[in-house]
Amino acid sequence: MSTLVTYLVEDNLALIGLASPPVNALGQPLRAAILEACDRAASDPAVSAIILHGENGLFCAGADISEFGLAASFAEPSLPDLLVRLTQIDKPLIACIDRFALGGGLELALACGYRISATGSRLGLPEINLGLLPGAGGTQRLPRLIGAEPALEMMMSGQPVSASHALDLGLLDRLIGEGDGLLEGARRFARELIHEGAPARPAERHSNPAAALPEDFFTRYRATHEPRWKNRLAPRLVLAAVESACVLPLNAGLQREVALFKEAEASSQSQALRHVFFAEREAGKVAGVSASTALRPVANVAVIGAGTMGGGIAMNFANVGIPVTLLELKPDALERGLGQIRNSYEISLQRGKLTQAELDKRMALLTGTLDYADIAECDLVIEAVFESLPIKQQVFRTLDEVCKPGAILASNTSTLDVDQIAAVTRRPHDVIGLHFFSPANVMRLLEVVRGKLTAPEVLATVLKLGKTIGKIPVVSGVCFGFIGNRMLEPYSREAHRMVLEGATPAQIDQVLTDLGLAMGVMAMHDLAGIDVSFLVRESRREAIAHDPSYCRVADELNALGRFGQKTKRGAYIYEGRERKEDFEVIALAERIAGELHIPRRPITTQEIHDRCLFMLINEGVQLLDEGIAERSGDIDLVWINGYGFPAWLGGPLHYAEQIGLDVVLDGIRHYRKALGEYGEMWFHPAPLLERLVAAGKTRIERL
Ligand code: 3HC
Ligand code: NAI
């Protein structure tokens, strides 16, 4: 018997324990072991019922994602075949769900006649997040168990439900309260079933899942939701599979599901999303930090500056029960900051996302002060004052004076040199950058900027804390703009330059949103503030002064006080929530182009795509070469979670791998020539890109 499962017969019960840490992923060896154990129990006359449970305190996280795209994915016994076999056993099978049953793990439970769970467990079909659909019977068995509509909702959202909700849905037969012993509960349940002479499988509650649906349900569902799916394949395939469950008998539906699953598995979108899944897990593995690196306790936090960012940052901690002290310069600024936080929570309350009790609890965790003495005992201080090196350095001098030894001192700077900030303290090893993105309580990206002297335990502590507050922490070295904003520069530069050459802002943004970006680059600057990006350019004028066209349109918009959405005018005009093309901006571009002798011409979709994207990719490759980013997946995570790059393209560097590194390099070389003096100025292929192509590599890695 394999070591991947345990097998025990107690009286007339067979207990089969999945024992493949860390998450009992259903790779081929585990599938084979489950089959062997179940067949043994099925053929043992002494066994009247079978309990499937997890040995290591958790049930199952689904198919083994690392097998997808490989022969192992459907190697015998394939998951669908294994689960069909389980449904044929003529003894009650009870899935005993601890912690989670996800994806194929839930499908395994659905193949059992009965399901029992601990109260804290979560059950779900998250395949859509990997560009997949449930492919081992989930799309056919779940609608027959709980009805087509709730089943579709679970698959489309990809969000797991709580065990108590699963009980309400009819997904579970029984819930075992905390401390009551789940496995013991399963034994009791099994004995009851045997005693009652319960069938191996109870009759399907929704044998015709379509019965309760209006006739035009799927047509209307598609019409309502399709616009939000953009280019994504998986939601369309999920819908097709559930539709099949409503019109086909089970066996035909299962066959159709496998065909749809294989289509999804082979798609570039699923490949990209699987890359993102593993990149998220890799990002936590950082050179110099290991599982044994000591962590500092963080029981309370202080935030300096209660402006746009400070308020949002503070909310992250209050949301998970960590008390926060907000420090401001003046009482009115403090009051405004705390008022904005309350306001934000009240909006959540009105939307039903928060209860009054939760709101009160969170507000009670937030305290304001004007006095540094009140933050002396804080474990972590995050500075979010104006973006000015002298001001930030002054704050850090004060922090160095007042904070207790061992306190972590962090800056939310978006562009400044963290080492120069650390250098004004006597404890540079305690200083780190924590670059939150706006709105800080919503955006999942947290760029963790590792200074030259940052201590490994400081880094390890904030990486863990970042996860506690629900962020995706990605480590960056120190450089202008870190990973994200540094890559934003060439991307924005090309967009603005093409406006001078003849494209309109709307045309540029359309190409980017058609690709799947949440927002075009021109609209993004309007949202973030044209005045803000102007100040960033001002801080590095010497690096861009040789190009008189560099973001000239934005500079002039800034001079005109057209700061973007907040002034209702930027690259666009804003009427309410509507964004409109502005002919004055086009006239402005014509005038500047005339002054700079830039010929205007029609710009194609291809050119917009290639110049914006290839320059973005090129900068990312350069960052990897410089060691600012540890791996290409980190760069992808930054752009997906901080800048709205579509996850189903896997991030800019994964996208480059899919386009072909040689194609990207040829494109850069092409524009270097085609754009004359301007091309010579900016279109320098990253040396690493050239080396990768010369070596025939198809993946972006250090070389
Ligand atoms: N396959 C392979 N490896 C998996 C995995 C899976 N399904 N789920 C988790 N892992 C690995 C992770 O890569 C990680 O490995 P590492 O330690 O080497 O980096 C390790 O297990 C622990 O994972 P996490 O760091 O994510 O641990 P957490 O405790 O934070 O989270 C979890 C646990 C909630 C189970 C989370 O890992 C998760 O969401 N897993 C994926 C669940 C999922 O998407 N399942 C569906 C798979 S597709 C499917 O089943 C298709 C089917 O329909 C045919
Ligand atoms: P903001 O202007 O909204 O808030 C700054 C706050 O700091 C103000 O309330 C001000 O009164 C307070 N302040 C200034 N000096 C202070 C001092 N010495 N002591 C205590 N409080 C002081 O600015 P915002 O947008 O919140 O930016 C703060 C920091 O976050 C900057 O470094 C910025 O670069 C960074 N950042 C901003 C992002 C954004 O989108 N706004 C995104 C990511 C980072």
Side-chain angles (χ1 to χ4, degrees):
M1 172 76 57
S2 159
T3 56
L4 296 177
V5 295
T6 56
Y7 187 90
L8 199 68
V9 178
E10 289 176 356
D11 302 328
N12 52 354
L13 298 181
L15 273 72
I16 298 173
L18 277 52
S20 177
V23 294
N24 293 331
L26 295 160
Q28 190 279 336
L30 180 57
R31 298 196 298 266
I34 295 173
L35 179 61
E36 190 192 344
C38 286
D39 277 344
R40 181 171 164 191
S43 60
D44 183 347
V47 170
S48 307
I50 304 165
I51 296 174
L52 269 175
H53 65 104
E55 267 304 335
N56 31 16
L58 55 90
F59 185 64
C60 178
D64 185 338
I65 301 169
S66 64
E67 281 188 349
F68 292 142
L70 307 173
S73 171
F74 274 85
E76 301 254 307
S78 72
L79 192 56
D81 289 352
L82 167 68
L83 300 192
V84 167
R85 167 69 194 123
L86 298 197
T87 62
Q88 292 162 346
I89 295 176
D90 63 356
K91 298 173 184 178
L93 251 79
I94 299 133
C96 175
I97 299 169
D98 207 358
R99 275 189 61 202
F100 41 72
L102 299 174
L106 182 57
E107 293 174 298
L108 172 62
L110 289 170
C112 297
Y114 302 89
R115 285 153 298 278
I116 180 167
S117 171
T119 41
S121 306
R122 297 182 69 73
L123 294 81
L125 292 170
E127 284 87 344
I128 200 162
N129 301 327
L130 296 166
L132 297 169
L133 59 147
T139 66
Q140 308 302 302
R141 293 196 182 102
L142 190 61
R144 286 174 164 84
L145 184 68
I146 67 170
E149 211 172 341
L152 183 61
E153 169 55 27
M154 274 183 76
M155 293 177 222
M156 284 295 185
S157 79
Q159 290 299 318
V161 298
S162 66
S164 59
H165 188 48
L167 186 72
D168 293 343
L169 286 172
L171 182 44
L172 289 175
D173 299 289
R174 191 168 288 188
L175 211 53
I176 301 293
E178 222 138 283
D180 285 347
L182 177 62
L183 199 52
E184 191 41 45
R187 285 189 188 98
R188 257 195 325 269
F189 185 42
R191 286 189 198 109
E192 285 170 36
L193 292 174
I194 297 168
H195 181 73
E196 289 161 11
R201 302 184 67 76
E204 282 165 346
R205 245 170 284 146
H206 298 267
S207 53
N208 174 6
L213 297 178
E215 208 152 295
D216 59 350
F217 175 79
F218 287 103
T219 316
R220 282 203 299 166
Y221 190 94
R222 197 168 273 117
T224 314
H225 293 88
E226 209 157 26
R228 279 194 299 116
W229 296 340
K230 296 191 176 168
N231 310 331
R232 291 164 62 212
L233 180 65
R236 293 172 168 88
L237 297 183
V238 167
L239 191 62
V242 175
E243 222 171 338
S244 298
C246 292
V247 294
L248 295 178
L250 180 62
N251 282 343
L254 289 173
Q255 278 174 26
R256 172 101 178 106
E257 181 196 72
V258 168
L260 292 169
F261 180 86
K262 286 186 171 168
E263 183 183 342
E265 184 190 5
S267 70
S268 59
Q269 293 188 4
S270 175
Q271 241 181 345
L273 288 160
R274 274 138 45 195
H275 157 74
V276 174
F277 176 85
F278 287 114
E280 278 186 25
R281 274 124 196 111
E282 280 289 295
K285 294 165 191 155
V286 177
V289 172
S290 71
S292 62
T293 307
L295 298 178
R296 295 188 190 173
V298 178
N300 47 37
V301 173
V303 176
I304 316 290
T308 313
M309 293 307 289
I313 293 170
M315 287 170 78
N316 285 304
F317 295 98
N319 293 351
V320 296
I322 299 177
V324 188
T325 308
L326 271 156
L327 186 144
E328 259 291 348
L329 280 180
K330 298 203 177 108
D332 56 335
L334 186 56
E335 218 167 286
R336 204 172 40 243
L338 285 166
Q340 268 158 7
I341 294 176
R342 177 174 284 281
N343 200 23
S344 178
Y345 281 141
E346 267 163 7
I347 292 172
S348 301
L349 179 76
Q350 281 154 19
R351 291 186 182 157
K353 291 186 176 162
L354 201 68
T355 64
Q356 184 66 47
E358 280 162 346
L359 184 153
D360 294 340
K361 188 172 153 212
R362 291 179 194 191
M363 284 308 297
L365 288 165
L366 294 155
T367 321
T369 186
L370 304 174
D371 186 354
Y372 273 89
D374 290 335
I375 64 164
E377 291 305 313
C378 283
D379 298 315
L380 165 67
V381 184
I382 305 174
E383 163 281 308
V385 307
F386 302 134
E387 184 76 349
S388 143
L389 186 62
I391 296 180
K392 287 193 192 283
Q393 284 177 325
Q394 190 45 49
V395 169
F396 273 77
R397 277 189 202 99
T398 313
L399 293 176
D400 194 24
E401 288 303 319
V402 300
C403 291
K404 68 177 183 186
I408 297 174
L409 308 180
S411 172
N412 181 48
T413 178
S414 38
T415 52
L416 300 172
D417 185 332
V418 173
D419 290 330
Q420 287 187 34
I421 296 173
V424 302
T425 71
R426 287 160 298 179
R427 37 174 134 177
H429 47 278
D430 289 338
V431 177
I432 194 161
L434 285 184
H435 184 207
F436 289 82
F437 284 67
S438 182
N441 54 321
V442 176
M443 296 293 284
R444 291 201 68 206
L445 178 65
L446 177 61
E447 263 185 326
V448 174
V449 187
R450 178 182 203 164
K452 230 176 18 228
L453 299 175
T454 304
E457 63 197 74
V458 168
L459 192 57
T461 304
V462 300
L463 287 173
K464 169 117 192 309
L465 191 63
K467 287 209 164 157
T468 306
I469 60 171
K471 301 293 178 198
I472 298 179
V474 178
V475 176
S476 168
V478 175
C479 71
F480 167 81
F482 317 127
I483 296 174
N485 282 342
R486 183 163 141 191
M487 289 170 70
L488 180 63
E489 281 294 297
Y491 173 72
S492 303
R493 182 196 70 223
E494 284 314 301
H496 283 90
R497 170 75 188 200
M498 282 186 277
V499 172
L500 294 183
E501 292 178 18
T504 66
Q507 192 194 348
I508 289 176
D509 284 353
Q510 190 69 48
V511 174
L512 300 170
T513 52
D514 282 352
L515 186 66
L517 273 118
M519 198 179 253
V521 58
M522 303 303 288
M524 196 185 90
H525 282 292
D526 271 4
L527 180 66
I530 287 181
D531 51 336
V532 175
S533 28
F534 175 76
L535 285 179
V536 173
R537 279 192 301 282
E538 281 297 274
S539 71
R540 56 187 291 266
R541 272 293 165 206
E542 73 290 352
I544 54 179
H546 61 291
D547 177 6
S549 74
Y550 195 102
C551 290
R552 245 314 265 294
V553 174
D555 284 353
E556 300 230 2
L557 290 175
N558 180 67
L560 291 168
R562 296 182 53 142
F563 298 150
Q565 276 196 30
K566 58 186 161 193
T567 56
K568 306 239 174 286
R569 292 195 130 188
Y572 296 93
I573 299 186
Y574 294 86
E575 284 170 12
R577 298 186 68 172
E578 220 191 320
R579 184 165 58 219
K580 288 193 171 156
E581 187 87 273
D582 184 350
F583 294 105
E584 277 183 30
V585 175
I586 295 163
L588 180 73
E590 281 170 357
R591 176 178 58 74
I592 301 170
E595 283 167 21
L596 298 175
H597 308 294
I598 297 169
R600 285 177 62 84
R601 63 192 165 88
I603 310 277
T604 63
T605 297
Q606 180 79 43
E607 181 167 352
I608 293 170
H609 170 276
D610 290 358
R611 286 176 62 181
C612 287
L613 270 296
F614 291 179
M615 281 291 103
L616 179 75
I617 292 163
N618 196 53
E619 197 67 26
V621 174
Q622 181 60 26
L623 281 169
L624 186 66
D625 204 16
E626 290 173 19
I628 299 294
E630 206 158 319
R631 49 182 94 75
S632 68
D634 290 358
I635 293 170
D636 287 335
L637 290 181
V638 166
W639 267 72
I640 290 169
N641 296 293
Y643 299 82
F645 199 94
W648 69 88
L649 292 182
L653 297 198
H654 181 84
Y655 181 54
E657 292 171 351
Q658 292 199 331
I659 298 173
L661 302 186
D662 51 342
V663 174
V664 175
L665 180 61
D666 286 350
I668 295 172
R669 286 178 174 155
H670 164 76
Y671 286 110
R672 186 175 171 87
K673 282 213 186 89
L675 298 173
E677 201 187 333
Y678 178 82
E680 286 288 326
M681 211 183 296
W682 293 115
F683 282 72
H684 305 287
L688 175 58
L689 182 61
E690 292 181 313
R691 294 202 298 278
L692 287 166
V693 173
K697 301 274 184 188
T698 53
R699 307 284 306 270
I700 298 176
E701 60 195 355
R702 291 227 185 86
L703 202 64

